[in-house]
Amino acid sequence: QLQASGGGLVQPGGSLRLSCKASGFGLDYFAVGWFRQAPGKGRDRLSCINNIDDSTWYVDSVKGRFTISRDKAKNTVFLQMDDLKPEDTAVYYCATALVCDSYSAVTEYENWGQGTQVTVSS
């Protein structure tokens, strides 16, 4: 399972760094994606990172504000979120897939864990 952490309450324009840590398996073997789900809405894919070359993908709405990275020694993938906006408020999740690319569906991801709440409000 994966455990997402690092969420919290932040003012607009602020930053948070989310962590996605694996237990029981190595993230080295998987691509990892970050997702969010706002109340009453579906789960959206935000970003992903491949395991072989650390290539990345971002949805347009977070491009330039969010940065995904991995620390193989810590078996953890991070999501640095800058210039946060109220519309970024959601529960954030991470999950694994075989590959990170621009067209993978949410349903292709596995090993979902509990999410972490991010609230952007003044």
Side-chain angles (χ1 to χ4, degrees):
Q1 286 285 0
L2 299 179
Q3 179 63 53
S5 62
L9 173 63
V10 64
Q11 292 186 342
S15 297
L16 284 172
R17 188 174 82 152
L18 305 184
S19 298
C20 173
K21 187 166 179 62
S23 57
F25 66 96
L27 283 178
D28 283 9
Y29 300 101
F30 299 96
V32 176
W34 280 100
F35 306 77
R36 69 185 177 195
Q37 187 165 15
K41 296 189 176 181
R43 191 166 295 186
D44 296 325
R45 189 168 65 121
L46 305 176
S47 179
C48 60
I49 185 167
N50 273 304
N51 58 314
I52 294 176
D53 59 3
D54 284 347
S55 57
T56 59
W57 170 86
Y58 299 91
V59 70
D60 285 347
S61 60
V62 307
K63 223 176 261 185
R65 299 191 298 125
F66 292 10
T67 304
I68 192 170
S69 62
R70 67 162 79 220
D71 185 327
K72 294 183 179 180
K74 295 181 179 179
N75 204 28
T76 301
V77 171
F78 301 100
L79 186 69
Q80 176 67 40
M81 306 189 297
D82 298 318
D83 190 23
L84 283 162
K85 307 174 187 299
E87 52 264 40
D88 294 318
T89 296
V91 178
Y92 284 67
Y93 301 87
C94 55
T96 62
L98 295 179
V99 64
C100 164
D101 53 36
S102 60
Y103 49 81
S104 293
V106 174
T107 53
E108 295 180 48
Y109 283 77
E110 299 177 330
N111 294 311
W112 297 91
Q114 290 186 340
T116 184
Q117 175 71 47
V118 172
T119 302
V120 184
S121 175
S122 55

